[in-house]
């Protein structure tokens, strides 16, 4: 029965891998969504809604015409540059590359190999919780790092892999530091809340302190 269950699990995992490998490149997914927005603008062109902050009527403008194409071309750079998470994404990419090339990540691996055995699991969980400093990349970095660490200690690397995944997943966005994900979500939230209240600013840390 155990072998049958294992066979079903492996078939399911292999199916996920096959489906994932058939997904197109992110560029083509983005391009497809871009064309989808243009098509939807033509379908819903003229549909209106009321801006809750200003009380003004906003209409959907069709991009499937000459004026729409001109608007796309003249506002493409400004739309891309004003996207709130863009700056963070670029900085995080540069920081990740710098950490790898400077030897920071290998230094962390060497430090973990010197952790006493009785503190090994708590250390992995602390690293996993703080892993979202690298945003979603923590789910790719922490599990194999834990597996390699367990293998170096002559322990089951599969258990180390699972432990690293659990630590990075369960502790995601529970960082003891302000992480990139916090900044990313704050930027998106700030842009969204200004639709209702243009004077409201979303901050990551409290700006005032009340004494009770």
């Amino acid at each position: 029965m155990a072998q049958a269950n294992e066979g079903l699990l492996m078939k399911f995992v292999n199916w996920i891998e096959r489906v994932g490998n058939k997904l197109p490149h992110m560029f083509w997914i983005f391009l497809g969504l871009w064309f989808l927005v243009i098509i939807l603008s033509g379908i819903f062109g003229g549909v209106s809604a009321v801006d809750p902050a200003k009380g003004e009527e906003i209409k959907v403008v069709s991009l499937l015409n000459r004026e729409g194409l001109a608007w796309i071309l003249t506002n493409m750079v400004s739309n891309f540059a004003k996207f709130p998470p863009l700056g963070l994404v670029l900085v995080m990419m540069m920081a990740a590359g710098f950490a790898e090339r400077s030897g920071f990540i290998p230094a962390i691996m060497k430090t973990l190999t010197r952790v006493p055995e009785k503190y090994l699991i708590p250390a992995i969980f602390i690293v996993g919780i703080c892993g979202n400093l690298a945003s979603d990349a923590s789910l790719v970095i922490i599990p194999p790092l834990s597996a390699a660490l367990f293998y170096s200690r002559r322990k089951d690397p599969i258990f180390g892999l699972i432990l690293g995944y659990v630590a990075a997943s369960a502790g995601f966005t529970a960082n003891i530091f302000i992480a990139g994900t916090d900044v990313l979500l704050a930027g998106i939230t700030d842009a969204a809340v200004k639709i209702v209240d243009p004077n409201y600013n979303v901050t990551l840390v409290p700006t005032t302190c009340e004494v009770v």
Side-chain angles (χ1 to χ4, degrees), residues 119-144:
Y119 299 126
L120 183 60
I121 293 179
I124 290 177
F125 267 94
I126 292 174
V127 172
I129 291 173
C130 295
N132 74 315
L133 286 170
S135 190
D136 295 338
S138 63
L139 295 174
V140 180
I141 298 173
I142 303 299

Side-chain angles (χ1 to χ4, degrees), residues 150-165:
F150 267 66
Y151 182 78
S152 66
R153 298 290 184 94
R154 296 184 178 181
K155 296 181 180 295
D156 187 1
I158 302 300
F159 176 75
L161 182 72
I162 296 172
L163 186 66
Y165 180 80

Side-chain angles (χ1 to χ4, degrees), residues 63-135:
L63 301 175
L64 290 175
N65 49 45
R66 183 177 179 179
E67 292 77 13
L69 179 60
W71 187 91
I72 291 174
L73 295 177
T74 55
N75 292 275
M76 185 177 296
V77 175
S78 61
N79 284 339
F80 185 72
K82 292 179 181 178
F83 185 56
L86 175 64
L88 173 67
V89 172
L90 295 177
V91 172
M92 290 295 292
M93 290 176 61
M94 290 187 291
F98 178 78
E100 175 64 28
R101 293 293 182 178
S102 64
F104 179 71
I105 293 178
I108 292 178
M109 295 181 65
K110 291 181 181 179
T111 302
L112 286 175
T113 58
R114 295 194 292 268
V115 174
E117 187 170 337
K118 63 179 180 179
Y119 299 126
L120 183 60
I121 293 179
I124 290 177
F125 267 94
I126 292 174
V127 172
I129 291 173
C130 295
N132 74 315
L133 286 170
S135 190

